Amino acid sequence: MVRPSGPLSGTVPVSGAKNSVLKVMAATTLARGTFTLRNVPAIADVTWMGDLLAEMGMVVTHDGDTVTIDSPDDLRPEAPYELVERMRASIVVLGPLLARFGRARVALPGGDDFGPRPIDMHVRALEALGAEFTTAHGYIEARADRLLGTRVLLDFPSVGATENTLMAAVLAKGTTVIDNAAREPEIADLAACLNRMGAQILGAGTSTITVEGVDELSPVEHAIVPDRIEAATYLAAVGVAGGEITVQGARPDHMSMLVQKLGEMGMRISPDPDGLWALRSQRLRSVDVSTLPYPGLATDYKPLLVVLLAFADGVGIVTENLFSGRFRYVDELVRMGADIRTEGHHAVVRGVERLSGAPVRAPDIRAGAALAVAALGADGETVIADADHIDRGYERFVEKLQALGADVERLD
Ligand code: EPU
């Protein structure tokens, strides 16, 4: 439950990035031995990825923000439906399992609230490396004696397809060049971990990644990069409630486009030795927003930006270029009094001074967090149902907002 709050103040720490740790956990299937991952967020998706690894035969131990993963000589290279259905990111075990064991069987993820979520690019890239695929009974099975390096040109810089290709190419014979690769900081983090394991990857974080395959990788210790989407959530919270906060650990270099956009809206944000300092002292101005692959504005920031526009002075046009169905939370914001019209992949947001608290439902992780942020500027109480979606991607969400002075509590 969220009640409106006055200006926020204080310091909030950022946890490790969900979209990095899940992939680094998948990468631990590439080598036998004991991995130590640090700065791991305590979120449901990490628990589920741990369940998936355990199901394959690995031993996963959580101790604070450290996760230890023991990877035995042999694994069952299979991701069952119950786990993939719960967490779509499970698909990233396909590439590494195939590379190490010559086969992998993964349940096909269906569509979700964002619309259809195909994996055709993952499959085409792995086929280019020599894998053969069959599909039956809702599972996709890949086989290859030894993957062979080649040039892979992705149709679109898909995050998941880049990661699956990368984790397959590290053990392939010869050189793989991934062109039109996704450039997200989480991909650079995964590549840094793989390189420490003995892989030879150049160019991760740019659109051309070159991988020289090696015969074997070793376990390592790796600290996960901070979560830029979580950091953005606290910036948006101060954008709605006003005040002055420091987002400790945030990486300004990973968030340049967002910081620029929020600056155009009238927030003052600057790097400080601790992370990012942010101040919102007057009503924000509307801007137009268009989501793009990194370094463009992330689609995961969009619900937060829609919320900021819902309070801003003027009209902002928001264009979603990645996922067809990612506007579901708009209906909930409208129920809270926001003036938003959607048409196809556009939303026209006309700012109002205040919203009005209402019972709402969190449709997914990011939209759930954005509804909580919106509620900070809504008169009365907002009760968010299905708030466990938020726990999939945010560590101690309620406690961190409370520490900034927000009036938020978790209801049983
Ligand atoms: N696509 C295809 N075919 C494919 C793969 C992707 O058509 O084979 C399309 C998708 O349907 C989508 C676009 O390409 O329209 C981009 O998808 P991408 O593969 O880049 O996304 P993803 O890897 O499935 C990750 C994050 C998402 C984030 C997107 C975009 C993880 C676990 N998920 O998904 O994060 O929105 O990249 O940046 O890394 C979240 O954290 O809540 C979340 C949904």
Side-chain angles (χ1 to χ4, degrees):
M1 181 176 61
V2 185
R3 294 195 193 86
S5 46
L8 303 181
S9 65
T11 297
V12 63
V14 181
S15 302
K18 168 179 86 74
N19 291 347
S20 176
V21 69
L22 298 177
K23 323 307 169 65
V24 169
M25 288 176 83
T28 64
T29 61
L30 281 164
R32 65 171 287 282
T34 305
F35 288 80
T36 305
L37 307 185
R38 303 208 186 277
N39 200 31
V40 174
I43 55 175
D45 274 21
V46 164
T47 309
W48 295 347
M49 185 55 97
D51 291 348
L52 173 57
L53 298 181
E55 177 76 23
M56 292 180 197
M58 301 168 82
V59 180
V60 182
T61 318
H62 299 255
D63 178 13
D65 71 353
T66 299
V67 169
T68 309
I69 300 175
D70 272 313
S71 188
D73 278 331
D74 204 16
L75 290 179
R76 209 171 22 261
E78 180 165 324
Y81 177 70
E82 303 73 55
L83 292 170
V84 178
E85 194 248 346
R86 195 152 61 165
M87 189 180 60
R88 216 183 168 282
S90 315
I91 190 72
V92 291
V93 298
L94 186 60
L97 289 177
L98 175 66
R100 177 154 167 230
F101 299 101
R103 68 192 176 88
R105 188 167 178 267
V106 176
L108 282 167
D112 62 13
D113 279 347
F114 299 177
R117 305 266 311 256
I119 55 161
D120 55 308
M121 278 187 259
H122 303 232
V123 169
R124 275 202 302 281
L126 296 174
E127 276 176 346
L129 291 170
E132 288 184 8
F133 282 89
T134 49
T135 309
H137 310 297
Y139 279 76
I140 188 160
E141 190 162 341
R143 284 183 181 271
D145 286 339
R146 171 95 199 252
L147 295 172
L148 295 177
T150 186
R151 175 170 181 249
V152 174
L153 174 60
L154 296 176
D155 289 354
F156 179 90
S158 151
V159 171
T162 301
E163 291 161 340
N164 252 332
T165 313
L166 185 59
M167 286 192 273
V170 287
L171 287 181
K173 189 169 160 42
T175 310
T176 301
V177 177
I178 310 172
D179 265 329
N180 201 22
R183 291 180 274 172
E184 273 68 3
E186 295 76 22
I187 289 178
D189 193 34
L190 171 65
C193 176
L194 291 167
N195 277 341
R196 203 167 293 144
M197 288 166 66
Q200 293 189 20
I201 304 167
L202 286 176
T206 75
S207 51
T208 302
I209 304 179
T210 306
V211 187
E212 199 63 55
V214 297
D215 289 336
E216 211 181 357
L217 296 167
S218 328
V220 289
E221 183 171 328
H222 180 76
I224 303 298
V225 76
D227 196 315
R228 63 200 161 99
I229 315 293
E230 188 200 12
T233 306
Y234 301 116
L235 295 180
V238 77
V240 168
E244 179 181 349
I245 65 165
T246 299
V247 187
Q248 190 181 35
R251 287 274 301 260
D253 54 326
H254 291 171
M255 304 176 68
S256 311
M257 200 64 86
L258 179 80
V259 167
Q260 178 171 301
K261 221 10 123 183
L262 297 180
E264 285 168 27
M265 293 184 80
M267 283 182 73
R268 284 180 55 204
I269 302 178
S270 55
D272 102 343
D274 257 0
L276 273 176
W277 168 88
L279 170 77
R280 200 278 273 163
S281 51
Q282 85 268 23
R283 188 173 178 202
L284 298 181
R285 294 180 291 278
S286 291
V287 290
D288 292 340
V289 166
S290 186
T291 63
L292 282 173
Y294 192 85
L297 266 181
T299 173
D300 292 337
Y301 294 142
K302 194 194 54 192
L304 300 167
L305 289 163
V306 167
V307 165
L308 290 173
L309 291 172
F311 290 99
D313 187 15
V315 179
I317 297 175
V318 180
T319 305
E320 168 61 58
N321 291 310
L322 276 89
F323 293 111
S324 56
R326 212 170 184 183
F327 273 123
R328 269 196 50 196
Y329 56 95
V330 163
D331 297 337
E332 303 298 283
L333 288 173
V334 169
R335 294 183 51 258
M336 293 171 73
D339 183 351
I340 309 175
R341 201 161 46 80
T342 54
E343 204 171 294
H345 59 122
H346 301 287
V348 180
V349 189
R350 193 177 300 273
V352 297
E353 297 258 350
R354 297 290 291 172
L355 294 183
S356 139
V360 292
R361 190 166 291 281
D364 65 66
I365 306 173
R366 309 299 173 194
L371 288 171
V373 168
L376 297 174
D379 297 325
E381 288 175 1
T382 298
V383 176
I384 305 173
D386 289 347
D388 47 349
H389 278 302
I390 302 175
D391 299 327
R392 286 191 54 183
Y394 289 84
E395 174 174 325
R396 295 186 298 114
F397 184 63
V398 167
E399 292 78 359
K400 288 188 185 186
L401 284 174
Q402 282 170 342
L404 294 176
D407 190 352
V408 186
E409 69 182 283
R410 189 180 290 271
L411 304 178
D412 283 333

